[in-house]
Amino acid sequence: MTQESQIPPPPVMWAQRKDILYVTICLEDCKDPVIEIESEKIYFKGEGGTDKKMHEITINLYKEIEPSKTIKNMKGRTFELILAKKEEGPYWPRLIKDKTKAHWLKSDFNKWKDEDDTDEEGNPPDLEEMMRQMGGLSGSGDSKPNFDELDELGDNDADSDDEDLPDLYD
């Protein structure tokens, strides 16, 4: 089969949580797409993109999902799928069963969350606590800087930026 006769895959992005997968198929101006979700694979076929060509892909999933719990969402240029993993638990090492690198598949870092992240979604991280752990704040809980201490530090040491600069022109 020649390169011209093969149907190219659309770009796909993915992210995951312990119980769900986010799969986004990126094909703008797609007319009448076919999306089939099975327990071990996703099939997509549609015409669109800047070249108005047919795109097709079968994604053989790393593990099983629950097709009946799938949420499909068309968002202009993309098709967002939220897939429920059949087994909740550790993160999958990859989306697809095959270990080879797929040129059409990328991680969706806007939705990505590491497995060891314990923050609940929607709750912003406690920045003050993070700064305290990194040594940026004292343990007193007072997040206001003490400017008197900063002034004392500045008065004792001459700053190299305070030196006169040589003239640039003769």
Side-chain angles (χ1 to χ4, degrees):
M1 199 180 263
T2 64
Q3 187 71 20
E4 291 83 35
S5 64
Q6 291 181 342
I7 300 176
V12 176
M13 298 189 320
W14 83 292
Q16 68 177 316
R17 302 287 190 276
K18 63 182 178 181
D19 55 343
I20 60 173
L21 300 168
Y22 296 102
V23 177
T24 305
I25 300 169
C26 306
L27 190 61
E28 62 188 46
D29 300 325
C30 184
K31 309 266 187 295
D32 302 319
V34 176
I35 301 175
E36 297 172 6
I37 311 292
E38 297 179 21
S39 63
E40 295 183 6
K41 71 179 178 179
I42 301 168
Y43 173 79
F44 174 87
K45 185 174 185 177
E47 183 178 338
T50 55
D51 51 7
K52 303 288 186 234
K53 288 185 179 175
M54 186 61 68
H55 293 266
E56 180 178 41
I57 190 158
T58 299
I59 302 170
N60 293 312
L61 298 169
Y62 180 75
K63 284 187 174 182
E64 286 188 74
I65 59 166
E66 296 278 351
S68 63
K69 295 181 180 178
T70 297
I71 299 171
K72 297 179 189 176
N73 191 6
M74 170 64 178
K75 285 196 162 184
R77 298 174 170 222
T78 62
F79 298 91
E80 291 186 355
L81 305 174
I82 301 175
L83 309 167
K85 292 180 180 179
K86 190 163 192 162
E87 296 175 12
E88 184 178 313
Y91 274 30
W92 296 2
R94 58 191 174 277
L95 177 66
I96 56 177
K97 193 173 284 257
D98 194 3
K99 287 185 179 181
T100 59
K101 174 94 173 108
H103 67 88
W104 46 266
L105 183 62
K106 307 245 184 292
S107 296
D108 188 347
F109 291 108
N110 291 328
K111 294 180 182 153
W112 197 268
K113 191 169 189 174
D114 287 332
E115 189 170 10
D116 55 359
D117 285 349
T118 56
D119 292 335
E120 290 295 318
E121 280 189 58
N123 291 345
D126 184 354
L127 295 178
E128 192 170 312
E129 181 59 31
M130 283 177 25
M131 290 294 289
R132 199 171 286 117
Q133 289 174 358
M134 294 181 348
L137 290 174
S138 64
S140 68
D142 183 13
S143 61
K144 296 178 187 171
N146 185 339
F147 291 110
D148 294 332
E149 289 178 14
L150 294 175
D151 286 341
E152 288 174 17
L153 290 174
D155 289 343
N156 293 338
D157 297 325
D159 191 354
S160 64
D161 289 348
D162 293 340
E163 296 172 8
D164 289 335
L165 295 174
D167 291 333
L168 296 176
Y169 301 101
D170 288 333

